[in-house]
Amino acid sequence: MRCMEYTHDLPAATHSKPNKKRWHLAFATIYCSRAFLAHFKKSTVKSKSKVSPVPSHRVVIDVVEPPLFFSNIDHSCLTRLVKEKNLDQLVTFDGVEGLASALKTHVENGIGAFKDPTILILLVCAALSLGFGIKENGPKEGWYEGGSIFVAVFLVIAVSAISNFRQNRQFDKLTKVSNHIHVEVVRSGRRQQVSIFEIVVGDVVCLKIGDQVPADGLFLDGHSLQVDESSMTGESDHVEVNHSHNPFLFSGTKVADGYGQMIVTSVGMNTTWGEMMSSISRDSNEQTPLQARLNKLTSSIGKVGLAVAFLVLLVLLVRYFTGNTKDENGNKEFNGGKTKVDDVINAVVGIIAAAVTIVVVAIPEGLPLAVTLTLAYSMKRMMADQAMVRKLSACETMGSATTICTDKTGTLTVNQMKVTKFWLGQEFMEERSNTSIAANILELLHQGVGLNTTGSVYKSTSGTQFEFCGSPTEKAILSWAVLELNMNMEELKQSCTILHVEAFNSEKKRSGVLMRKKADNTINVHWKGAAEMILAMCTHFYDPSGNMKHLDDGERKKFDQIIQGMAASSLRCIAFAHKNVQEEVHEDGKSQQKLKDHDLTLLGLVGLKDPCRSGVKKAVEDCQYAQVNIKMITGDNVFTARAIATECGILKPDQDLNGAVVEGVEFRNYTPEERMEKVDKICVMARSSPFDKLLMVQCLKQKGHVVAVTGDGTNDAPALKEADIGLSMGIQGTEVAKESSDIVILDDNFASVATVLRWGRCVYNNIQKFIQFQLTVNVAALVINFVAAVSAGEVPLTAVQLLWVNLIMDTLGALALATEQPTKELMKKPPVGRTEPLITNIMWRNLLAQAFYQIAVLLTLQFRGESIFNVTQKVNDALIFNTFVLCQVFNEFNARKLEKKNVFEGIHKNKLFLGIVGITIVLQVVMVEFLKRFADTERLNWGQWGACIGIASISWAIGWLIKYMPVPEKPLLSYLKWQNLMYIYKSSVTYRVFDLP
């Protein structure tokens, strides 16, 4: 974890007094040079996200430049070397042995595990300090300084190792959940869902569009099956799988079109792709809004710290060499040539150590750890709320979301279809029984439903129960045909032969089948799909008596009205049509022949009801209340889409629908300027294609929105990838959609999307709380040490004390503030978006008020504490350290609420927060009372402890009072921009000119 980079360095400057050891000079030089190089490098190189060295599905917020061990190797060149199998480039590295040498890898022993240069320097310094200390002060007391360095190094390594171990265990658990894929197989004559880990050789696996092939196998049966083998070959063209030319199916490839069955020939590590299904590949090159803000913040703080440290170094050196500093006896420390060289070196080392301490104080070491802890904790809690986070940074990005583009089926609705209306011709069939339908129509309906389907019907041995498998739409239609039209699936399949199939996909929105009836060898084409699209292909229709009638314009309008009426009732309207074709046209039986899709005869219309989920309307209202726009993008027709959107609350009953509801074809035909102008007003997009959804996301991002997208199909993958946050469905979602997403909604419910939004805002808010808390510590300590160093030539807070404050205490503080639960107040605020500053004016107000109070109190103790409390300098230093730490403990309560005056609201519910505060106080008592040598403190009596607590508790009153102060809406730092300063300057000059006589 990158935050440890600076904490490694903390123990180096354990004192700021002239009797410092010489090893401080070496360490200070290395530390400052590294810090200068890192920040100067940041200012000259374009800002870009850093690729985490941990597995790519894990996110670490890199705030500090990592040490560059392999400066002679470009990482991108190394990646391309293997990817492109570039032998010529390998020769330039002197072969594999030369490359291994450049990477500092031993070809036999591998890499060494202990290469951190800072740790090595600290251990050398500790050893030197231990040796010199024992030599000068004896073994009884001489080990304290060197021992403290060793303890600090051990703490750094231990905290880092434990943290990494816990994260690895957490991510291993999540990986197991994300890899628990269910596959449909045929066993004992019925289709059933089994885990991918339960597939065995010989299994018959059912494949449909969007599935990933779970194992290696051979094609058994199916139609128009095409697979995407780009994950293996890199070629984007789809490969047709059939009996004759290519019956091979490989693990990890994706079904792009059609459907089929395969027999498994190898599983697990014996497959071609091996562990393809156990890996999750992520593209982490793009920075999240929070990452960009954090990098900018820490870079700025680092520059300020370096500038102040350099100024302190300059002032202290000038003071020393001009004779303005005195020793404990009141004599000048530097008297030209009379001063011993050894004393000069000790004094200069002490000055450099003081400057290094300033840098240590300025850098917010705990910030990256706080971010990681907050995200990891929230990710674990979101699992309980039916949201599995696959990309850690998606937690905080969701808190910035301004727009959510949601699917309809299965997300806003329950995805449990049922046929509720049936029209035969222009007559509504209330009974919908087989006795009221002409025999020839009934036979054609049986063929159109039973043969043109990817679903199946299983009848139990008792013969009384039916089990329907397939998509919700397929199951609903099959159930209707079997139970109400008395369709016998087995007899139908035995009496007919399927010649060719055109599978359903989201672009065509229809499916077709070419079949031959064995009894008389008649051949029919059957089509099924979106009602208005099938109707457009028809020229005739059947009435209930079985008579064929011509479909003229007048009759077509009547059918249009029937379709619109069902759509207005939130029904999905499906049409069936057929055409009798001549046998000789299709005798060759070519698999690629195109089915007749014109001059069809309409068989009937069915309306399927998919009711809205119970909590959807409330969830939509919550999102809208939080000023997040909800846009529904669906493949249904405009009337169904509008009805569902109104039922869910996306559209208001009295809303002006002009521009709010559009069709996909209309949206894609807009000019780019028109799209950018109208995209904000659109609430519903019907009859949309995958390209329309992607185009919508791109337009919204160009306008500055932070976009979340929900999707469950393969066709949603491009939009899920393009969105800032992709949310796939855990039940109905295809594996392609899940791989393209950042968060998986395990229950397919939009209410869980609203919960993720609430958690995202909570994560962002918790990070802001910690930043306010952390920066208060840094600002106060920076100013105190700076003023004390310049005025008195020494710093009141030693590096070991700052190690305790910045590493241990801030880590506990981060954990305490990270466990704050989402509140209703979070949904009252507008979304953060992309442009809002990370540190708001409210945070600046709270931060500066507490920092100024701490500075005033601690500087008073620094210069007048000995006389006020009538104590020695050692006790006074302990009072300063104790008061400083207790101020942070009390201020931790203030940080719980950035705006509310009552900072104790709901605190009884957060037992972990109270526990951490208690642990912090206990550890502070141990530091002051029992670790006097290690922490350079003195014991305090009850009265002194009471004084420290009383001073620190005043921060509660200050936090309460300061919240009455209003703050401007314009970000505070915007006034410090060069353009604004120039404007103020020009305005003042103009004023003076006009004021001249």
Side-chain angles (χ1 to χ4, degrees), residues 19 198 290 301 354 482 528 679:
N19 61 355
E198 296 176 9
L290 180 63
I301 293 174
V482 170
K528 175 185 71 178
V679 69

Side-chain angles (χ1 to χ4, degrees), residues 112 203 214 262 313 344 389 402 445 476 487 519 584 613 694 730 733 741-742 745 749 816 876 878 904 926 939 947:
D203 257 330
M262 64 172 283
L313 180 65
V344 173
V389 180
T402 59
L445 280 172
M487 181 182 76
E584 60 269 17
R613 291 182 182 270
L694 177 62
S741 66
D742 307 306
I745 304 300
N749 195 341
N876 189 53
F904 304 105
V926 171
R939 287 193 169 190

Side-chain angles (χ1 to χ4, degrees), residues 900-911:
K900 279 194 168 186
K901 299 178 180 66
N902 182 10
V903 297
F904 304 105
E905 182 181 341
I907 198 169
H908 62 284
K909 297 179 181 178
N910 196 340
K911 304 292 192 301

Side-chain angles (χ1 to χ4, degrees), residues 296 835 837 839 841 844 968-984:
K296 185 177 179 181
T835 58
I839 307 179
N841 287 353
W844 279 118
E969 293 184 4
K970 190 175 181 181
L972 182 65
L973 292 180
S974 65
Y975 293 100
L976 301 179
K977 290 183 179 179
W978 177 252
Q979 295 89 340
N980 293 336
L981 293 175
M982 289 299 297
Y983 174 77
I984 295 172

Side-chain angles (χ1 to χ4, degrees), residues 16 304-317 319 351 353-362 777-798 802 855 858-859 862-863 880 884:
S16 61
V304 170
L306 286 171
V308 173
F310 181 75
L311 183 62
V312 167
L313 180 65
L314 190 63
V315 169
L316 292 182
L317 287 175
R319 287 193 59 207
I351 290 171
V356 170
T357 304
I358 297 291
V359 177
V360 171
V361 170
V777 178
N778 291 105
V779 170
L782 180 65
V783 174
I784 292 162
N785 276 12
F786 171 71
V787 173
V790 171
S791 59
E794 60 183 22
V795 291
L797 298 172
T798 66
L802 290 172
I855 290 167
L858 296 180
L859 286 180
Q862 170 70 13
F863 297 109
I880 293 173
F884 180 67

Side-chain angles (χ1 to χ4, degrees), residues 297 301 364 770-780 839 847:
L297 172 66
I301 293 174
F770 179 76
I771 288 173
Q772 176 183 299
F773 172 70
Q774 168 86 61
L775 291 188
T776 303
V777 178
N778 291 105
V779 170
I839 307 179
L847 185 160

Side-chain angles (χ1 to χ4, degrees), residues 136-200:
E136 292 181 11
N137 302 317
K140 190 175 181 179
E141 296 184 356
W143 67 272
Y144 290 134
E145 187 173 13
S148 66
I149 305 282
F150 275 117
V151 171
V153 172
F154 172 77
L155 283 174
V156 168
I157 295 174
V159 170
S160 179
I162 293 172
S163 177
N164 284 332
F165 174 72
R166 290 177 62 87
Q167 278 198 43
N168 282 332
R169 288 186 61 187
Q170 178 68 23
F171 280 107
D172 286 343
K173 290 179 182 178
L174 288 175
T175 302
K176 288 180 182 178
V177 174
S178 65
N179 291 334
H180 193 63
I181 299 163
H182 283 89
V183 180
E184 194 174 69
V185 300
V186 179
R187 291 179 180 174
S188 302
R190 56 179 294 205
R191 293 190 187 185
Q192 51 188 289
Q193 297 279 339
V194 301
S195 169
I196 189 175
F197 302 113
E198 296 176 9
I199 290 180
V200 296

Side-chain angles (χ1 to χ4, degrees), residues 233-479:
T233 64
E235 298 293 333
S236 58
D237 292 337
H238 297 162
V239 178
E240 183 184 357
V241 179
N242 51 38
H243 283 293
S244 56
H245 298 95
N246 180 31
F248 306 106
L249 288 157
F250 300 103
S251 171
T253 58
K254 304 174 184 68
V255 178
D257 202 357
Y259 62 91
Q261 291 184 334
M262 64 172 283
I263 183 170
V264 175
T265 57
S266 56
V267 296
M269 292 302 293
N270 295 324
T271 61
T272 306
W273 201 243
E275 295 180 321
M276 170 67 184
M277 295 303 292
S278 298
S279 64
I280 301 174
S281 59
R282 302 298 313 168
D283 180 10
S284 58
N285 287 333
E286 186 177 357
Q287 283 187 326
T288 67
L290 180 63
Q291 282 176 303
R293 291 184 177 104
L294 283 173
N295 286 338
K296 185 177 179 181
L297 172 66
T298 51
S299 177
S300 301
I301 293 174
K303 290 173 183 176
V304 170
L306 286 171
V308 173
F310 181 75
L311 183 62
V312 167
L313 180 65
L314 190 63
V315 169
L316 292 182
L317 287 175
V318 169
R319 287 193 59 207
Y320 175 76
F321 286 110
T322 55
N324 289 321
T325 57
K326 297 181 180 179
D327 58 18
E328 296 175 355
N329 300 320
N331 300 321
K332 289 183 179 181
E333 288 187 315
F334 183 75
N335 285 320
K338 298 180 180 179
T339 306
K340 295 180 181 179
V341 175
D342 195 48
D343 293 337
V344 173
I345 292 175
N346 282 336
V348 170
V349 167
I351 290 171
I352 293 174
V356 170
T357 304
I358 297 291
V359 177
V360 171
V361 170
I363 303 299
E365 295 90 354
L367 183 56
L369 180 60
V371 172
T372 305
L373 285 173
T374 304
L375 295 178
Y377 173 80
S378 302
M379 178 181 64
K380 187 176 180 181
R381 294 302 301 266
M382 287 167 72
M383 277 290 290
D385 288 336
Q386 302 300 313
M388 189 191 76
V389 180
R390 297 185 63 220
K391 185 178 179 183
L392 196 58
S393 60
C395 298
E396 53 87 3
T397 311
M398 193 66 187
S400 305
T402 59
T403 302
I404 299 175
C405 297
T406 179
D407 210 359
K408 178 184 76 70
T409 306
T411 306
L412 299 175
T413 60
V414 296
N415 202 20
Q416 293 176 359
M417 296 286 191
K418 183 179 181 181
V419 175
T420 59
K421 287 188 178 182
F422 171 42
W423 291 77
L424 187 54
Q426 295 174 0
E427 184 174 332
F428 175 57
M429 310 295 290
E430 292 189 18
E431 295 293 330
R432 303 202 301 274
S433 64
N434 61 317
T435 56
S436 59
I437 304 174
N440 62 325
I441 304 297
L442 189 63
E443 182 183 12
L444 290 170
L445 280 172
H446 285 177
Q447 293 173 3
V449 173
L451 301 179
N452 187 11
T453 182
T454 56
S456 66
V457 179
Y458 171 77
K459 192 174 184 179
S460 63
T461 54
S462 63
T464 57
Q465 296 292 328
F466 290 94
E467 187 175 306
F468 303 96
C469 293
S471 69
T473 301
E474 297 287 356
K475 288 193 291 185
I477 294 175
L478 286 172
S479 173

